[in-house]
Amino acid sequence: MFEFIRTHQRLMQILLAIIIVPSFAFVGLGSYKGFGEDANTIAKIDGKPLTQQEFDTAVRNQLDTYRQRLGAQFDQKMFDTPEFKQNILDQLIAERAVAAEVVHANLNVSDVQLQKVIKEQFGGEGAFDMERYKAILSAQGMTPSMYDQRLRHDLALQQLGNAIQATGFAPRAVAKTLSDIGAQEREVQELLLPVADFVPQVKITDDMVKAYYDKNAKFFEVPEQAKIEYVVFNSDAVMSQVSVTDADVAAYYEANKAGFATPESRRAAHILIALKKGANAAETAAAKAKADAIVAELRKTPGDFAKVAKAKSEDPVSGEQGGDLDIVTKGTLPAPVEAAVLKLKQGEISDAVQSDFGFHVLTVTALKPAVVKPLDEVKTEVAETLKKQKAAKKYSEMAEAFTNTVYEQSDSLKPVADKLGLKIETAANVSRTPSPMAGPAPYNNAKFLAALFSNESISSKRNTEAVETAPSTLVAGRIVEFKAASKRPLAEVDAAIRQRVTMEEAAKLAAKTGAEKLAAFKKSGDATGFAAAKLVSRAKPEGVNGLAMQEVMKADTAKLPAYVGVDVPGMGYGIYRIGKVQQPAVQDEARRKSEAEQISNIVAQQEMHDYIELLKQKAKVKVLKPITKTTVVEVK
């Protein structure tokens, strides 16, 4: 009984660890309110509308995810495509169709299941703060009951998904056949015609070099580059100019002393004599008498509390744990029980206390009194807090000064650096697109680089505007030296081109010669010139080139010997003679079992895909508004 109350002590860890739950839950909730069809409706699923606002929210959430993942490399234009929008719409429709089936099938999760999942996945030893829990939920626009409903919904969806995927399996014969193919061994002989052997036959002319140079002009482009100066204004720059005195710290400590206190902590245990609601006077008296007897027994031997709880408590959950109720915090226990626990000394046995559940015999198993940390212990923490508060107030003022100065005195960054105590940084070989090599450098930001390489900035070499590259981070810069994009002259790359063309022509000669030899071998069945035979398989290529190995293993071996010719880039032309095909003498049962599981997983995934498509048909999905006309809200 009390276990249901105590499950909320675990929800704090749920919120801190995974406010994000499977996407089905977030999209499905709130979508069955019966709004009428109008111009704001993109699609209808099971007769319910998918609105423009819901689609925009899904797009914005997805963009936020990519923005966090890609950081400075994020460019919204990459995602502003019909394909990106269509993928999100397809996902939303699939989620709504599955959610509708959960409703129609009356799938639900019991209180016991809910409690078990929460306890198993998110149990912890820390105390649960109900008020903080409610505050966090409130910040997410939820109440405890709403969160419970959402979790039930997710578990029901999981139940449905597991049931469908469990039906996906591959027959043993199919799994064995596929496993046999994977394990199959082939006896192979190799004859390699190296590219280097044909190089002496190649003659390169100036016209061939010029033709390659003209055809592959992009290979010889030198991108535009700039040497730049830049300054960064952020919260660190403000913090460096903020100071606090010992008097400030002491005053703050005195005004907020409660915030540095560790509250009293009580761990309690109980023995419950259950009493059903509406019990008559006789039943109530009998239950109280039973509880009073336990009180009397325990006051003689209070050390036996856990033993007696296991034997006599009618709370099956806590009883197995010696009556343990964990750390008691405000609002987690019925009012009369909580009040009694707060009055007890450690080890003291209470009188029988009545609640809606029955009569409780209580004790406090651990008691830690409230403690206020001394000023010396928290002085650094307080000083840092005060500095952040002062910096937050000063940031807007300094940010405005930064923005105005780089604009008004645009010939140099020195005025703003001197005024705000900033350092002028430099960077060379900067291009107009972010470079992976520069990583998180402040200037390596798409928005800043766009401003830096604007026509005005390049021509006048004036300061850029202040560009926000991250929250509370402004960057301004200027180009010191600029080199326009150019093409390396032919004379500079002539030798490299001759080498490249030589190898390409040699490879063509090797392939031509190899094809002729391959045709002759297929007619004769000859093995002259081939290396010694070796047994290869997909798992053990034994030194055979990967590309060649693919061709060897998929070659038609109905008639042996079989021959395969492969143009191996960078190496030459290889001819492979397959003389024997067999299964390994010793079977790897562990590998076969693993492969069978993988095959079953693939089948299960296809089963789920097909099932979702069926649910979409069942939900009579209608797309009412072309996705190309939907809006994509820009991520700021």
Side-chain angles (χ1 to χ4, degrees), residues 477-560:
R478 60 189 296 270
I479 290 178
V480 178
E481 297 176 6
F482 177 76
K483 293 181 180 179
S486 61
K487 184 179 179 181
R488 297 176 69 185
L490 176 57
E492 187 178 310
V493 296
D494 181 89
I497 292 177
R498 287 182 183 276
Q499 183 179 6
R500 178 65 179 267
V501 175
T502 296
M503 297 307 293
E504 288 184 357
E505 293 299 316
K508 291 178 183 177
L509 289 175
K512 180 181 178 182
T513 304
E516 293 170 353
K517 287 182 175 289
L518 177 64
F521 284 132
K522 285 182 176 180
K523 288 182 179 179
S524 66
D526 192 10
T528 303
F530 283 90
K534 53 186 173 184
L535 210 56
V536 301
S537 68
R538 288 176 173 83
K540 298 178 180 179
E542 301 298 335
V544 177
N545 175 272
L547 183 61
M549 191 67 195
Q550 294 179 27
E551 298 301 320
V552 166
M553 295 309 296
K554 70 181 183 182
D556 183 1
T557 56
K559 181 181 177 182
L560 296 175

XYZ file of all heavy atoms in Angstrom, residues 477-560:
614
model
N 34.845 40.436 -35.817
C 36.156 40.239 -36.410
C 36.357 41.098 -37.639
O 35.457 41.820 -38.071
N 37.525 41.008 -38.215
C 37.833 41.732 -39.438
C 38.890 40.972 -40.216
O 39.704 40.220 -39.644
C 38.308 43.159 -39.141
C 39.561 43.241 -38.292
C 39.851 44.673 -37.858
N 40.131 45.531 -38.995
C 41.346 45.731 -39.506
N 42.383 45.127 -38.949
N 41.525 46.522 -40.530
N 38.872 41.152 -41.520
C 39.858 40.507 -42.390
C 41.095 41.393 -42.484
O 41.004 42.583 -42.805
C 39.262 40.259 -43.783
C 38.188 39.163 -43.698
C 40.348 39.858 -44.771
C 37.490 38.869 -45.007
N 42.252 40.803 -42.212
C 43.517 41.523 -42.296
C 44.141 41.327 -43.677
O 44.612 42.271 -44.309
C 44.491 41.051 -41.200
C 45.827 41.775 -41.316
C 43.886 41.258 -39.822
N 44.148 40.076 -44.156
C 44.646 39.755 -45.491
C 43.658 38.809 -46.153
O 43.114 37.911 -45.498
C 46.027 39.092 -45.417
C 47.116 39.967 -44.842
C 48.435 39.212 -44.710
O 48.506 38.051 -45.187
O 49.390 39.765 -44.124
N 43.451 38.981 -47.471
C 42.488 38.140 -48.185
C 43.091 37.634 -49.482
O 43.702 38.394 -50.236
C 41.211 38.934 -48.495
C 40.203 38.154 -49.294
C 39.423 37.176 -48.689
C 40.046 38.382 -50.661
C 38.504 36.442 -49.426
C 39.120 37.652 -51.399
C 38.350 36.685 -50.782
N 42.939 36.340 -49.727
C 43.349 35.730 -50.991
C 42.122 35.114 -51.644
O 41.479 34.231 -51.073
C 44.398 34.641 -50.745
C 45.734 35.160 -50.236
C 46.712 34.000 -50.048
C 48.060 34.498 -49.529
N 49.015 33.371 -49.332
N 41.818 35.617 -52.855
C 40.641 35.101 -53.563
C 40.897 33.670 -54.033
O 42.044 33.224 -54.125
C 40.324 36.006 -54.754
N 39.812 32.953 -54.327
C 39.934 31.592 -54.839
C 40.703 31.624 -56.156
O 40.546 32.531 -56.970
C 38.556 30.985 -55.049
N 41.534 30.625 -56.383
C 42.349 30.577 -57.593
C 42.543 29.129 -58.035
O 42.164 28.192 -57.335
C 43.707 31.237 -57.348
O 44.420 30.544 -56.320
N 43.159 28.992 -59.183
C 43.443 27.668 -59.717
C 44.952 27.517 -59.850
O 45.624 28.394 -60.401
C 42.762 27.491 -61.077
C 42.914 26.120 -61.688
C 42.169 26.057 -63.021
C 42.324 24.690 -63.684
N 41.619 24.634 -64.990
N 45.488 26.434 -59.359
C 46.932 26.214 -59.447
C 47.325 26.091 -60.927
O 46.653 25.411 -61.714
C 47.320 24.943 -58.704
C 47.039 25.009 -57.212
C 47.340 23.681 -56.533
N 48.778 23.389 -56.519
C 49.280 22.243 -56.076
N 48.462 21.289 -55.628
N 50.581 22.044 -56.080
N 48.406 26.739 -61.345
C 48.804 26.690 -62.759
C 49.213 25.281 -63.182
O 49.683 24.481 -62.367
C 49.980 27.664 -62.822
C 50.495 27.749 -61.423
C 49.303 27.575 -60.539
N 49.022 25.003 -64.466
C 49.322 23.682 -64.998
C 50.772 23.285 -64.736
O 51.059 22.130 -64.376
C 49.022 23.643 -66.501
C 49.370 22.345 -67.229
C 48.647 21.162 -66.591
C 49.011 22.451 -68.721
N 51.666 24.228 -64.901
C 53.084 23.905 -64.715
C 53.371 23.411 -63.300
O 54.254 22.565 -63.089
C 53.941 25.151 -65.013
N 52.611 23.911 -62.339
C 52.828 23.547 -60.932
C 52.370 22.132 -60.627
O 52.897 21.472 -59.728
C 52.087 24.558 -60.049
C 52.355 24.416 -58.573
C 51.629 25.471 -57.759
O 51.738 26.659 -58.112
O 50.947 25.102 -56.780
N 51.378 21.662 -61.381
C 50.805 20.336 -61.094
C 51.099 19.331 -62.205
O 50.583 18.218 -62.191
C 49.282 20.454 -60.874
C 48.986 21.283 -59.641
C 48.592 21.048 -62.092
N 51.927 19.714 -63.179
C 52.198 18.855 -64.339
C 52.720 17.484 -63.919
O 52.240 16.440 -64.383
C 53.211 19.548 -65.263
C 53.521 18.710 -66.492
O 52.801 18.855 -67.491
O 54.471 17.887 -66.434
N 53.686 17.449 -63.033
C 54.287 16.173 -62.629
C 53.270 15.262 -61.957
O 53.223 14.043 -62.223
C 55.472 16.431 -61.700
N 52.452 15.845 -61.090
C 51.445 15.037 -60.384
C 50.422 14.481 -61.365
O 49.982 13.323 -61.234
C 50.760 15.890 -59.325
N 50.038 15.295 -62.361
C 49.068 14.825 -63.352
C 49.664 13.687 -64.179
O 48.992 12.683 -64.451
C 48.619 15.989 -64.261
C 47.796 16.994 -63.453
C 47.806 15.462 -65.437
C 47.359 18.212 -64.238
N 50.929 13.839 -64.593
C 51.564 12.782 -65.398
C 51.598 11.458 -64.630
O 51.348 10.387 -65.192
C 52.983 13.200 -65.787
C 53.012 14.286 -66.842
C 54.433 14.664 -67.252
N 54.388 15.762 -68.202
C 54.207 15.614 -69.523
N 54.080 14.390 -70.031
N 54.166 16.665 -70.326
N 51.899 11.537 -63.351
C 51.929 10.321 -62.544
C 50.536 9.700 -62.450
O 50.379 8.483 -62.591
C 52.467 10.632 -61.147
C 52.601 9.399 -60.269
C 53.157 9.735 -58.884
O 53.336 10.903 -58.544
N 53.446 8.712 -58.101
N 49.527 10.541 -62.239
C 48.161 10.043 -62.114
C 47.677 9.422 -63.423
O 47.119 8.315 -63.429
C 47.234 11.212 -61.703
C 45.768 10.841 -61.585
C 45.539 9.839 -60.467
N 44.148 9.496 -60.325
C 43.297 10.113 -59.483
N 43.767 11.104 -58.721
N 42.052 9.740 -59.395
N 47.880 10.120 -64.533
C 47.429 9.609 -65.824
C 48.184 8.334 -66.193
O 47.605 7.386 -66.757
C 47.596 10.688 -66.918
C 47.239 10.110 -68.294
C 46.720 11.891 -66.620
N 49.478 8.294 -65.854
C 50.268 7.082 -66.121
C 49.655 5.871 -65.435
O 49.497 4.795 -66.029
C 51.722 7.267 -65.645
O 52.331 8.310 -66.402
C 52.528 5.980 -65.819
N 49.306 6.029 -64.170
C 48.723 4.909 -63.420
C 47.352 4.528 -63.970
O 47.013 3.336 -64.019
C 48.621 5.285 -61.938
C 49.964 5.543 -61.257
S 51.152 4.180 -61.457
C 50.341 2.897 -60.497
N 46.565 5.516 -64.403
C 45.247 5.211 -64.973
C 45.392 4.429 -66.277
O 44.659 3.452 -66.515
C 44.471 6.508 -65.212
C 43.988 7.182 -63.951
C 43.148 8.420 -64.247
O 42.995 8.764 -65.441
O 42.636 9.030 -63.284
N 46.330 4.855 -67.138
C 46.529 4.155 -68.406
C 47.092 2.761 -68.176
O 46.715 1.793 -68.863
C 47.466 4.966 -69.296
C 46.900 6.295 -69.768
C 45.646 6.121 -70.596
O 45.636 5.223 -71.471
O 44.663 6.863 -70.367
N 47.985 2.631 -67.194
C 48.543 1.314 -66.874
C 47.449 0.376 -66.368
O 47.432 -0.815 -66.690
C 49.660 1.454 -65.840
N 46.528 0.923 -65.561
C 45.419 0.120 -65.047
C 44.522 -0.355 -66.193
O 44.014 -1.491 -66.174
C 44.620 0.938 -64.038
N 44.326 0.494 -67.207
C 43.515 0.095 -68.367
C 44.187 -1.046 -69.127
O 43.525 -2.005 -69.551
C 43.324 1.297 -69.299
C 42.438 2.392 -68.739
C 42.360 3.568 -69.717
C 41.539 4.711 -69.132
N 41.506 5.884 -70.044
N 45.516 -0.947 -69.288
C 46.243 -2.018 -69.968
C 46.168 -3.320 -69.177
O 46.009 -4.410 -69.749
C 47.697 -1.603 -70.161
C 47.968 -0.503 -71.200
C 49.446 -0.119 -71.187
C 47.549 -0.970 -72.598
N 46.294 -3.207 -67.837
C 46.204 -4.402 -66.991
C 44.836 -5.039 -67.113
O 44.707 -6.274 -67.215
C 46.496 -4.026 -65.543
N 43.783 -4.224 -67.118
C 42.420 -4.752 -67.224
C 42.189 -5.410 -68.584
O 41.539 -6.467 -68.676
C 41.419 -3.619 -67.007
N 42.717 -4.780 -69.640
C 42.546 -5.345 -70.982
C 43.247 -6.699 -71.091
O 42.682 -7.684 -71.584
C 43.102 -4.371 -72.019
C 42.982 -4.872 -73.448
C 43.586 -3.862 -74.418
C 43.507 -4.401 -75.859
N 44.127 -3.465 -76.832
N 44.489 -6.741 -70.612
C 45.241 -7.988 -70.649
C 44.570 -9.054 -69.786
O 44.461 -10.231 -70.169
C 46.685 -7.757 -70.164
O 47.288 -6.741 -70.961
C 47.505 -9.030 -70.239
N 44.101 -8.629 -68.601
C 43.436 -9.561 -67.696
C 42.175 -10.138 -68.287
O 41.881 -11.340 -68.140
N 41.397 -9.313 -68.969
C 40.151 -9.797 -69.580
C 40.443 -10.837 -70.651
O 39.709 -11.833 -70.798
C 39.381 -8.608 -70.166
N 41.517 -10.626 -71.399
C 41.890 -11.599 -72.434
C 42.304 -12.924 -71.809
O 41.921 -14.008 -72.272
C 43.027 -11.032 -73.286
C 42.616 -9.817 -74.127
C 43.803 -9.116 -74.781
O 44.964 -9.508 -74.451
O 43.596 -8.192 -75.589
N 43.120 -12.858 -70.766
C 43.548 -14.082 -70.078
C 42.361 -14.812 -69.454
O 42.284 -16.041 -69.478
C 44.579 -13.748 -68.999
C 45.957 -13.360 -69.530
C 46.910 -13.093 -68.374
C 48.326 -12.822 -68.897
N 48.948 -14.064 -69.437
N 41.427 -14.035 -68.867
C 40.248 -14.623 -68.229
C 39.443 -15.429 -69.246
O 39.012 -16.565 -68.952
C 39.389 -13.521 -67.610
C 38.082 -13.973 -66.966
C 38.366 -14.896 -65.773
C 37.264 -12.763 -66.499
N 39.245 -14.877 -70.431
C 38.482 -15.579 -71.465
C 39.181 -16.878 -71.864
O 38.528 -17.923 -72.055
C 38.309 -14.665 -72.681
N 40.500 -16.835 -71.948
C 41.264 -18.042 -72.319
C 41.175 -19.110 -71.239
O 41.009 -20.309 -71.531
C 42.723 -17.663 -72.584
N 41.277 -18.698 -69.967
C 41.187 -19.660 -68.858
C 39.823 -20.338 -68.802
O 39.707 -21.518 -68.488
C 41.483 -18.965 -67.529
C 42.945 -18.684 -67.292
C 43.375 -17.434 -66.880
C 43.898 -19.690 -67.493
C 44.717 -17.176 -66.669
C 45.248 -19.436 -67.266
C 45.661 -18.160 -66.867
N 38.766 -19.561 -69.072
C 37.420 -20.128 -69.027
C 37.252 -21.228 -70.083
O 36.491 -22.185 -69.873
C 36.379 -19.028 -69.240
C 36.187 -18.127 -68.037
C 35.102 -17.093 -68.291
C 34.852 -16.253 -67.038
N 33.791 -15.222 -67.254
N 37.952 -21.092 -71.191
C 37.864 -22.107 -72.243
C 38.705 -23.335 -71.902
O 38.297 -24.462 -72.138
C 38.338 -21.513 -73.568
C 37.370 -20.511 -74.183
C 37.912 -20.007 -75.525
C 36.939 -19.014 -76.160
N 37.455 -18.498 -77.469
N 39.890 -23.090 -71.335
C 40.834 -24.198 -71.115
C 40.712 -24.863 -69.744
O 41.046 -26.045 -69.592
C 42.266 -23.696 -71.281
O 42.587 -22.763 -70.247
N 40.270 -24.117 -68.720
C 40.253 -24.662 -67.356
C 41.642 -24.768 -66.768
O 41.852 -25.435 -65.746
N 42.607 -24.123 -67.400
C 44.016 -24.217 -67.024
C 44.289 -23.493 -65.697
O 43.596 -22.550 -65.326
C 44.862 -23.597 -68.144
C 46.349 -23.903 -67.976
O 46.676 -24.737 -67.125
O 47.147 -23.279 -68.704
N 45.334 -23.925 -64.983
C 45.741 -23.296 -63.726
C 47.166 -22.765 -63.806
O 47.741 -22.382 -62.787
C 45.631 -24.295 -62.579
N 47.707 -22.693 -65.010
C 49.088 -22.237 -65.190
C 49.233 -20.770 -64.778
O 48.464 -19.906 -65.202
C 49.515 -22.392 -66.664
O 49.360 -23.754 -67.061
C 50.960 -21.948 -66.858
N 50.241 -20.498 -63.963
C 50.525 -19.130 -63.545
C 49.841 -18.712 -62.255
O 50.175 -17.667 -61.680
N 48.888 -19.496 -61.785
C 48.171 -19.149 -60.558
C 49.000 -19.517 -59.321
O 49.815 -20.442 -59.350
C 46.833 -19.887 -60.489
C 45.764 -19.294 -61.371
C 45.614 -19.730 -62.690
C 44.919 -18.301 -60.909
C 44.649 -19.195 -63.514
C 43.939 -17.764 -61.730
C 43.808 -18.203 -63.040
N 48.748 -18.774 -58.239
C 49.414 -19.068 -56.963
C 48.825 -20.330 -56.353
O 47.840 -20.894 -56.847
C 49.253 -17.883 -56.012
N 49.441 -20.773 -55.265
C 48.960 -21.974 -54.575
C 47.529 -21.778 -54.089
O 47.101 -20.671 -53.757
C 49.876 -22.281 -53.398
N 46.787 -22.857 -54.057
C 45.384 -22.796 -53.629
C 45.284 -22.530 -52.129
O 46.114 -22.998 -51.346
C 44.689 -24.104 -53.969
N 44.265 -21.753 -51.755
C 43.987 -21.519 -50.334
C 42.492 -21.484 -50.118
O 41.715 -21.096 -50.997
C 44.646 -20.234 -49.843
C 44.349 -18.993 -50.655
C 45.192 -17.826 -50.132
C 45.065 -16.591 -51.006
N 45.957 -15.483 -50.550
N 42.091 -21.927 -48.930
C 40.679 -22.021 -48.589
C 40.231 -20.710 -47.956
O 40.789 -20.272 -46.948
C 40.472 -23.177 -47.598
C 39.128 -23.905 -47.638
C 38.830 -24.453 -49.022
C 39.113 -25.029 -46.608
N 39.229 -20.051 -48.560
C 38.751 -18.761 -48.055
C 37.255 -18.850 -47.772
O 36.547 -19.693 -48.308
C 39.015 -17.615 -49.067
C 40.496 -17.491 -49.376
C 38.208 -17.809 -50.349
N 36.799 -17.943 -46.916
C 35.367 -17.794 -46.632
C 35.117 -16.328 -46.345
O 36.048 -15.534 -46.230
C 34.945 -18.650 -45.431
O 35.537 -18.148 -44.244
N 33.835 -15.955 -46.209
C 33.519 -14.558 -45.928
C 34.143 -14.097 -44.609
O 34.542 -12.945 -44.474
C 32.000 -14.372 -45.898
C 31.360 -14.458 -47.283
C 29.843 -14.362 -47.200
N 29.244 -14.275 -48.533
C 28.983 -15.310 -49.313
N 29.290 -16.539 -48.880
N 28.442 -15.148 -50.498
N 34.226 -15.014 -43.659
C 34.801 -14.661 -42.358
C 36.323 -14.718 -42.373
O 36.981 -14.051 -41.571
C 34.264 -15.589 -41.266
N 36.909 -15.500 -43.295
C 38.359 -15.664 -43.347
C 38.834 -15.491 -44.786
O 39.007 -16.473 -45.517
C 38.751 -17.053 -42.822
C 38.374 -17.275 -41.359
C 38.740 -18.677 -40.897
C 38.367 -18.903 -39.440
N 38.702 -20.280 -38.987
N 39.061 -14.223 -45.208
C 39.457 -13.971 -46.600
C 40.889 -14.384 -46.921
O 41.260 -14.454 -48.094
C 39.285 -12.448 -46.742
C 39.425 -11.920 -45.348
C 38.838 -12.976 -44.453
N 41.710 -14.632 -45.888
C 43.079 -15.127 -46.068
C 43.891 -14.273 -47.038
O 44.581 -14.769 -47.930
C 43.051 -16.583 -46.575
C 42.337 -17.562 -45.671
C 42.986 -17.676 -44.294
O 44.191 -17.406 -44.183
O 42.284 -18.027 -43.333
N 43.799 -12.939 -46.883
C 44.636 -12.047 -47.672
C 44.080 -11.659 -49.018
O 44.695 -10.865 -49.738
N 42.932 -12.178 -49.403
C 42.322 -11.800 -50.680
C 41.698 -10.417 -50.537
O 41.010 -10.135 -49.555
C 41.251 -12.824 -51.116
C 40.580 -12.379 -52.414
C 41.893 -14.192 -51.301
N 41.946 -9.540 -51.509
C 41.395 -8.187 -51.484
C 39.883 -8.214 -51.264
O 39.180 -9.079 -51.806
C 41.735 -7.482 -52.800
C 41.104 -6.114 -52.909
O 39.976 -5.978 -53.366
N 41.839 -5.093 -52.479
N 39.369 -7.264 -50.473
C 37.947 -7.264 -50.137
C 37.033 -7.216 -51.336
O 36.019 -7.929 -51.405
N 37.352 -6.345 -52.315
C 36.520 -6.240 -53.517
C 36.547 -7.545 -54.303
O 35.515 -8.036 -54.780
C 37.024 -5.081 -54.385
C 36.233 -4.777 -55.651
C 34.796 -4.403 -55.298
C 36.888 -3.650 -56.435
N 37.741 -8.130 -54.413
C 37.866 -9.403 -55.114
C 37.124 -10.506 -54.363
O 36.496 -11.383 -54.961
C 39.343 -9.763 -55.269
N 37.178 -10.451 -53.021
C 36.518 -11.470 -52.203
C 35.020 -11.491 -52.446
O 34.396 -12.559 -52.512
C 36.823 -11.182 -50.721
C 36.433 -12.297 -49.793
S 37.433 -13.767 -50.066
C 36.437 -14.972 -49.192
N 34.431 -10.308 -52.608
C 32.993 -10.238 -52.884
C 32.661 -10.972 -54.179
O 31.676 -11.722 -54.254
C 32.553 -8.778 -52.970
C 32.644 -8.006 -51.679
C 32.215 -6.555 -51.857
O 31.420 -6.237 -52.725
N 32.761 -5.678 -51.025
N 33.472 -10.741 -55.209
C 33.214 -11.383 -56.501
C 33.445 -12.891 -56.430
O 32.713 -13.673 -57.034
C 34.105 -10.757 -57.574
C 33.872 -9.273 -57.804
C 32.439 -8.984 -58.227
O 31.884 -9.772 -59.028
O 31.871 -7.977 -57.755
N 34.464 -13.299 -55.685
C 34.762 -14.728 -55.551
C 33.595 -15.462 -54.882
O 33.189 -16.549 -55.320
C 36.066 -14.933 -54.735
C 36.208 -16.396 -54.293
C 37.262 -14.505 -55.557
N 33.034 -14.861 -53.815
C 32.004 -15.555 -53.041
C 30.638 -15.546 -53.729
O 29.778 -16.362 -53.394
C 31.891 -14.932 -51.650
C 33.135 -15.093 -50.786
S 33.773 -16.799 -50.673
C 32.425 -17.640 -49.842
N 30.432 -14.620 -54.669
C 29.133 -14.618 -55.357
C 29.220 -15.210 -56.766
O 28.239 -15.239 -57.499
C 28.551 -13.208 -55.410
C 29.274 -12.238 -56.316
C 28.600 -10.868 -56.253
C 29.249 -9.866 -57.207
N 28.621 -8.527 -57.115
N 30.393 -15.725 -57.138
C 30.568 -16.312 -58.463
C 29.745 -17.589 -58.605
O 29.537 -18.339 -57.644
C 32.052 -16.608 -58.696
N 29.263 -17.835 -59.813
C 28.493 -19.049 -60.108
C 29.446 -20.238 -60.114
O 30.386 -20.307 -60.906
C 27.815 -18.891 -61.473
C 26.937 -20.089 -61.818
O 26.842 -21.026 -60.994
O 26.349 -20.096 -62.925
N 29.204 -21.196 -59.215
C 30.088 -22.359 -59.102
C 29.389 -23.645 -59.509
O 29.765 -24.737 -59.079
C 30.613 -22.481 -57.651
O 29.488 -22.534 -56.751
C 31.488 -21.303 -57.286
N 28.352 -23.502 -60.342
C 27.645 -24.702 -60.814
C 28.596 -25.599 -61.600
O 28.461 -26.819 -61.618
C 26.452 -24.291 -61.679
N 29.561 -24.985 -62.284
C 30.563 -25.730 -63.038
C 31.938 -25.310 -62.552
O 32.270 -24.124 -62.559
C 30.413 -25.447 -64.533
C 31.416 -26.205 -65.394
C 31.228 -25.862 -66.869
C 32.281 -26.575 -67.733
N 32.139 -26.223 -69.178
N 32.732 -26.300 -62.136
C 34.081 -26.025 -61.630
C 35.119 -26.599 -62.578
O 34.877 -27.641 -63.222
C 34.253 -26.613 -60.226
C 33.365 -26.021 -59.129
C 33.553 -26.793 -57.821
C 33.687 -24.549 -58.922
